[in-house]
Amino acid sequence: PAPDDATPTGPAAAGAAALLVLGLAGAWGIPQAAAQPQQQVVSRPAVQRTGSVTLPPPLLHAPAESVFHEARAEKDTAVVQARLVWRPSAGDNLLLVQPPAVLEDIEVPDGLRVAPHPTITGAVIAHAEKGGDYRIVFTYRTPIEERLDGVRGFHVPVEPGLINQLELEVPGPEREIVSPDAVSIVPRPAEAGAEVTRALLVLDAASKPWIAWQPPTRDTRREKTVFYAECFQLFVPTAGLIEGSHVVEIRPAQGELTELAFRVPEGMTITDVLGEGVEFWRFDPDQHLLRVNLAAARAQPFSLTIGSQVAVGPLPFSREVGLIAVQDAANQLGLAGVATSPEVQLEKAETAGLTAINLEDFPATVVATLQDRIPGLTLRRAFRYADPAGRLTLQAAPVQPDVRVVSDQSLSLGADRILLAAGLDVTITRAGLFKLSFLLPAGLDIESLSGPALSHWTELRSPEGRIITLHLKGRTLGRQRFDLSLVGPGLGATNGWTVPRLLLREASKQQGRLVIVPEQGMRLDAAERRSVTPLDPAQAGVRARTALAFRLLNADWQLSLDIEQLAAWIQVTGFQQVSIQEGQARVTANLDYQIENAGVRTFRLRLPAQADNVRFTGPQLADFLPLDENATNQTRLWEVKLHRRVLGGQRLEVAYTLPLSDEADTLAITGVVAEGVNVQRGFLALQATGRVQLTLQEVPDALRPAEWESVPAALRENLASASVSHVFRLVQPDYRLVLGIRRHQATPVLPARVRQFQLTSVISDAGVILTRGRVELVPGDKRLLRLRLPDNAEFWFAFVNEGGVWLWREGDDILIPLQQTAALGETTTVDFYYTTRAGDVSPRRLDLRLHGPRIDLPLRQIEW
């Protein structure tokens, strides 16, 4: 069959009609010659076969000239009487009714046949056996459909004609009849007393047009504005102001709204107005009036959210607030609520004209409007009112924070300083804090103070002491960690020393643990304690046997100590080696200190008063200096300072020289005495070099002969054992040994001679001359080179074969020891440096008289 909405015209329509006639001829037995149209003859078989299924031939269709319907809507169906004017040719067909409509009655004129549609179940067609002008009248029923929006209607099941009209009657007065397929809809008057609505519809040529009716729509623009209001007003007291959020729901009953006016209580300021369709708003604080203009007229319910503020003083405060009222509302009622943050406590909420309700009855969405700005907002009171003239009196106070502190403190006591290291675990609940503070214990200073939540810290002096304030990065809640170190001067033996306390002034409860660790040499005893209990130091992770541990029960704890200072036990084992050569005696001593009970920071040693070029070396050596000379025993006391206090083993090395003139035949050697030690023992080794021979005149009782191998290897470190003639064990460190010195003259074999003498001088702009002298000589048996510099010259240093040597003076002469050569004729190089000052130096003039040095050998090959 052709589509329902197809209306073939022209040659195509003629071809379709021919096909339809051929189909009817095959199906109903109509002769083909009579069924063929005059315009066109199409030869078609009676049936078409597709596979094994036999299909009827297509129908030829001719539209009606006019179709007029009289429809009456009943409960679930529409009863329609249709009148058609049809001018077909012989063999044309017309679709009369199609499902879901049901044909009830039909008047068929002569020349037409009515039969079921061959392919559409339930459809009825009219077949023209001959051409002519036919008037067809039939009645049918079609179901009425009801949509979700309340609109009821039906589809017209009759094929459209060239002219389509429908007269509809529906129950109920003033119904609005609509159709998307209607060209025009003309209302018709109803009979007197009939509760119906009638209209005449002119339809277009659409297939199955939709006819519907609905209650009449209102023209709200012409109605008088009547609306109702319901307000949900929330007040949040905070420090400095009362925040307000007012959700107003407007329900128009008739008419349209383009502007709203609100009466604002005195003292309240409007901060914002939010809502869909709000164009702008303005608040007049003098008249206490808020006007809100809408972008478009509103006839449907809508809501607005108004933000407000009421200025108050700091917490605590008591303030009366009013309710926002909607002007010109036919009736208004609402709910009022009071909410607070965790840091504000609502002490009292007195009302006038309001009735208390359950908190669950207040909308949670209203509270949510302020939760983004005020974290932890909680509804505390809820009220209902019918008159917006009611009043609320709010009394609020700040919530005091609950601060609990658990401390882990370690106190180190020493003679140089005391150190209090504390880790504070601070838990802040109920309300946040911006700062914490504590009273700095007397005599202590802050070395370090840190924590993740700490911004910075400040110090303030007050009559009660120095107050340290910890400024946090913001309002802080929860558990926080702070680490600090306090240092102070050391202390010695004392009784009743009060342990410093570290207490946060904002804390409501404090407890913790205190570990006291003294340095070695201190003995502690708890003299008086209060609110503390002793603990095993091993439980606190401290292995020191002299440490004390206590549990701090509360903030009022008190602890005092008796401190006993133990003396250090010092034992010294030393090895002193004396090397005697012409002109001087060089003394080197290695001292091994063993320190127990208490640490020491200084060593004191007694050396000969004539000791020269004294040097001390050691791993912890900081400085050394001589003290006042003791004229009685011809010794001088030296003090050696260390970087820190030392315990256990400590090595100290001392070296010095004793002058020895060419005429001296004896030399007194005294021991290196360590002052302030408990035990000192050691060894002495004598060594002669060159042409010097030593003899022992008298050995004191403080020395006992020994062998070189008996000296411990650790003491002989860095000391040569060659040419050692005598070794003694020390019974007492303060010995005095007199040695006899005998010098042997060498037989002249090869006199010393100078091969080359070279001087190099550099003159500065200030007239200072730096001169280097270089002497290449064959020393032979000469052991001392005597050097005399020009007048006013300053000697710096000298090298022999590029190595340092020990020099000494004899009058104006400088004696340089020469090294003995291994091979005959091998040269020795002596380099020496000195400075002099020029005579006349100016930018344009140089007038110098250079005077060279003298040595006790004839010079040759002189070059300056």
Side-chain angles (χ1 to χ4, degrees):
D4 296 340
D5 55 352
T7 306
T9 57
L19 292 175
L20 189 60
V21 170
L22 290 176
L24 288 174
W28 296 337
I30 302 175
Q32 294 184 6
Q36 292 178 355
Q38 299 177 1
Q39 295 87 349
Q40 185 177 2
V41 178
V42 180
S43 298
R44 294 279 185 172
V47 294
Q48 296 179 352
R49 297 183 180 275
T50 303
S52 62
V53 179
T54 302
L55 299 178
L59 297 179
L60 297 178
H61 177 74
E65 288 189 0
S66 65
V67 180
F68 182 78
H69 303 269
E70 290 184 359
R72 183 180 73 257
E74 295 182 353
K75 183 177 180 180
D76 295 325
T77 61
V79 180
V80 186
Q81 185 183 40
R83 297 191 297 273
L84 285 78
V85 177
W86 187 33
R87 293 183 176 89
S89 300
D92 287 346
N93 298 282
L94 177 64
L95 181 63
L96 297 179
V97 178
Q98 54 185 326
V102 178
L103 183 65
E104 288 189 344
D105 187 18
I106 185 171
E107 297 178 3
V108 181
D110 295 336
L112 296 180
R113 290 181 60 187
V114 177
H117 196 283
T119 59
I120 304 176
T121 304
V124 179
I125 62 173
H127 174 70
E129 295 181 346
K130 61 181 178 179
D133 188 359
Y134 296 101
R135 303 289 192 274
I136 304 174
V137 179
F138 60 93
T139 304
Y140 65 89
R141 285 180 178 268
T142 183
I144 296 176
E145 302 177 12
E146 184 173 357
R147 298 183 178 176
L148 296 178
D149 54 0
V151 177
R152 306 185 70 201
F154 61 92
H155 289 281
V156 178
V158 180
E159 282 295 302
L162 301 179
I163 300 173
N164 302 280
Q165 293 181 341
L166 187 146
E167 185 174 354
L168 178 63
E169 178 182 304
V170 297
E174 298 182 356
R175 298 293 179 180
E176 183 178 0
I177 299 175
V178 295
S179 175
D181 303 311
V183 177
S184 65
I185 301 175
V186 180
R188 291 290 182 91
E191 297 180 1
E195 297 291 331
V196 296
T197 301
R198 300 182 63 191
L200 177 62
L201 290 79
V202 178
L203 306 176
D204 58 11
S207 178
K208 292 185 178 181
W210 169 255
I211 311 298
W213 59 93
Q214 61 186 9
T217 58
R218 298 164 44 200
D219 189 1
T220 57
R221 293 174 296 179
R222 299 181 179 180
E223 296 177 353
K224 180 181 178 181
T225 303
V226 177
F227 66 94
Y228 297 88
E230 186 174 4
C231 302
F232 303 95
Q233 310 193 34
L234 179 68
F235 299 95
V236 181
T238 60
L241 53 88
I242 298 177
E243 293 274 359
S245 179
H246 313 267
V247 178
V248 183
E249 295 184 354
I250 304 297
R251 299 184 178 87
Q254 65 182 31
E256 295 180 347
L257 285 173
T258 59
E259 184 183 18
L260 288 173
F262 299 88
R263 187 170 63 253
V264 180
E266 184 177 358
M268 182 179 293
T269 301
I270 303 301
T271 59
D272 198 5
V273 178
L274 301 175
E276 183 180 358
V278 175
E279 185 175 16
F280 64 89
W281 61 274
R282 56 189 179 276
F283 172 63
D284 188 351
D286 296 332
Q287 298 183 2
H288 310 292
L289 192 63
L290 170 65
R291 295 187 179 276
V292 179
N293 288 76
L294 305 178
R298 304 296 294 267
Q300 300 298 325
F302 64 96
S303 63
L304 301 175
T305 301
I306 303 173
S308 68
Q309 288 182 350
V310 177
V312 295
L315 294 171
F317 63 80
S318 178
R319 177 64 187 266
E320 184 183 63
V321 295
L323 304 174
I324 292 181
V326 185
Q327 286 191 345
D328 302 329
N331 189 19
Q332 57 181 306
L333 49 86
L335 303 178
V338 182
T340 62
S341 67
E343 300 171 356
V344 179
Q345 180 180 356
L346 182 64
E347 294 187 345
K348 187 182 295 184
E350 298 179 352
T351 62
L354 289 86
T355 304
I357 61 175
N358 295 328
L359 298 180
E360 293 79 4
D361 297 335
F362 194 86
T365 56
V366 181
V367 182
T369 58
L370 292 178
Q371 283 182 340
D372 293 340
R373 289 188 295 169
I374 307 176
L377 191 63
T378 306
L379 185 67
R380 305 298 183 184
R381 299 286 191 278
F383 307 93
R384 176 182 287 111
Y385 68 89
D387 185 3
R391 310 290 291 180
L392 269 170
T393 301
L394 304 179
Q395 185 175 350
V399 174
Q400 298 299 328
D402 184 19
V403 181
R404 297 176 181 269
V405 180
V406 177
S407 63
D408 189 1
Q409 305 180 38
S410 176
L411 179 62
S412 299
L413 302 180
D416 297 330
R417 72 167 189 169
I418 61 175
L419 172 64
L420 177 60
L424 305 179
D425 287 327
V426 182
T427 304
I428 307 173
T429 57
R430 297 178 57 186
L433 284 177
F434 288 96
K435 60 183 179 180
L436 298 168
S437 62
F438 63 89
L439 184 64
L440 189 66
L444 298 183
D445 291 307
I446 294 181
E447 184 179 52
S448 65
L449 179 55
S450 62
L454 180 65
S455 172
H456 62 283
W457 61 272
T458 57
E459 179 180 341
L460 177 65
R461 294 187 179 273
S462 65
E464 55 182 329
R466 301 160 61 190
I467 298 177
I468 304 300
T469 303
L470 284 69
H471 300 271
L472 307 180
K473 295 180 179 179
R475 186 182 294 274
T476 305
L477 273 170
R479 183 176 179 180
Q480 304 296 332
R481 172 78 178 189
F482 300 95
D483 296 303
L484 67 158
S485 297
L486 307 179
V487 296
L491 69 161
T494 183
N495 292 328
W497 181 75
T498 303
V499 176
R501 297 189 303 166
L502 184 61
L503 304 174
L504 291 182
R505 303 197 304 171
E506 293 79 8
S508 57
K509 183 177 182 180
Q510 300 193 49
Q511 58 185 3
R513 184 180 61 184
L514 172 64
V515 178
I516 304 176
V517 182
E519 71 176 9
Q520 193 166 358
M522 280 188 177
R523 182 179 298 170
L524 305 180
D525 186 19
E528 180 183 356
R529 65 174 185 263
R530 183 182 64 194
S531 298
V532 296
T533 57
L535 293 174
D536 184 5
Q539 297 179 358
V542 180
R543 298 181 179 180
R545 294 177 298 175
T546 58
L548 300 178
F550 301 92
R551 184 180 301 278
L552 310 178
L553 302 181
N554 52 50
D556 295 333
W557 67 271
Q558 189 78 27
L559 179 62
S560 60
L561 302 175
D562 292 339
I563 303 174
E564 180 183 358
Q565 187 74 44
L566 300 179
W569 175 269
I570 304 176
Q571 182 176 348
V572 180
T573 302
F575 177 51
Q576 183 178 354
Q577 184 177 20
V578 180
S579 178
I580 302 173
Q581 55 188 352
E582 294 187 15
Q584 66 178 1
R586 185 175 183 180
V587 181
T588 305
N590 292 340
L591 303 177
D592 283 344
Y593 282 79
Q594 291 295 328
I595 307 168
E596 299 178 1
N597 294 340
V600 295
R601 194 167 183 176
T602 58
F603 294 149
R604 290 193 174 188
L605 293 95
R606 189 169 296 279
L607 303 180
Q610 68 273 20
D612 196 7
N613 299 324
V614 179
R615 295 181 181 178
F616 292 91
T617 57
Q620 296 294 334
L621 182 65
D623 191 14
F624 58 88
L625 71 159
L627 301 180
D628 294 339
E629 181 180 354
N630 190 334
T632 304
N633 52 13
Q634 298 297 315
T635 59
R636 173 172 292 184
L637 190 63
W638 290 75
E639 184 177 64
V640 179
K641 297 182 179 179
L642 306 179
H643 288 290
R644 60 177 179 84
R645 290 184 173 271
V646 293
L647 276 171
Q650 187 71 20
R651 168 63 68 92
L652 182 65
E653 300 176 3
V654 57
Y656 59 91
T657 60
L658 298 175
L660 181 62
S661 63
D662 294 340
E663 295 80 10
D665 55 357
T666 60
L667 177 64
I669 303 298
T670 58
V672 178
V673 180
E675 293 285 341
V677 301
N678 301 95
V679 177
Q680 181 178 357
R681 56 179 178 268
F683 298 89
L684 170 64
L686 302 179
Q687 178 184 9
T689 61
R691 295 180 287 110
V692 178
Q693 181 181 354
L694 300 180
T695 58
L696 300 177
Q697 294 185 355
E698 182 179 356
V699 178
D701 296 336
L703 299 177
R704 292 290 184 269
E707 297 295 333
W708 173 259
E709 289 75 11
S710 63
V711 180
L715 294 177
R716 290 187 277 115
E717 186 180 2
N718 300 328
L719 296 179
S721 62
S723 304
V724 173
S725 58
H726 300 86
V727 177
F728 298 95
R729 182 186 299 274
L730 302 184
V731 178
Q732 294 181 358
D734 53 346
Y735 65 88
R736 187 174 187 275
L737 176 62
V738 179
L739 301 177
I741 299 176
R742 182 180 179 183
R743 297 174 178 85
H744 299 276
Q745 297 297 326
T747 302
V749 178
L750 182 64
R753 67 181 186 274
V754 177
R755 288 188 173 182
Q756 186 179 6
F757 183 58
Q758 186 181 29
L759 296 174
T760 304
S761 299
V762 179
I763 307 175
S764 68
D765 294 340
V768 178
I769 303 174
L770 173 62
T771 302
R772 184 193 72 173
R774 187 179 183 87
V775 183
E776 292 184 7
L777 53 87
V778 179
D781 59 352
K782 188 174 182 62
R783 292 295 173 261
L784 293 176
L785 180 64
R786 191 176 295 271
L787 173 66
R788 176 172 293 186
L789 299 178
D791 296 338
N792 299 325
E794 182 179 354
F795 179 79
W796 280 22
F797 44 81
F799 297 97
V800 176
N801 290 336
E802 299 181 357
V805 294
W806 290 89
L807 308 176
W808 65 92
R809 290 181 178 269
E810 188 177 291
D812 295 335
D813 295 340
I814 299 174
L815 302 181
I816 302 176
L818 300 178
Q819 295 179 359
Q820 185 177 2
T821 59
L824 185 63
E826 185 178 354
T827 60
T828 298
T829 303
V830 179
D831 295 318
F832 58 90
Y833 294 80
Y834 67 93
T835 58
T836 58
R837 182 169 293 276
D840 185 6
V841 179
S842 62
R844 296 181 178 272
R845 182 178 179 183
L846 181 63
D847 185 7
L848 300 178
R849 294 181 181 273
L850 304 180
H851 300 274
R854 296 180 181 181
I855 60 177
D856 58 347
L857 290 175
L859 301 180
R860 60 192 300 268
Q861 296 293 335
I862 303 174
E863 179 184 354
W864 198 329

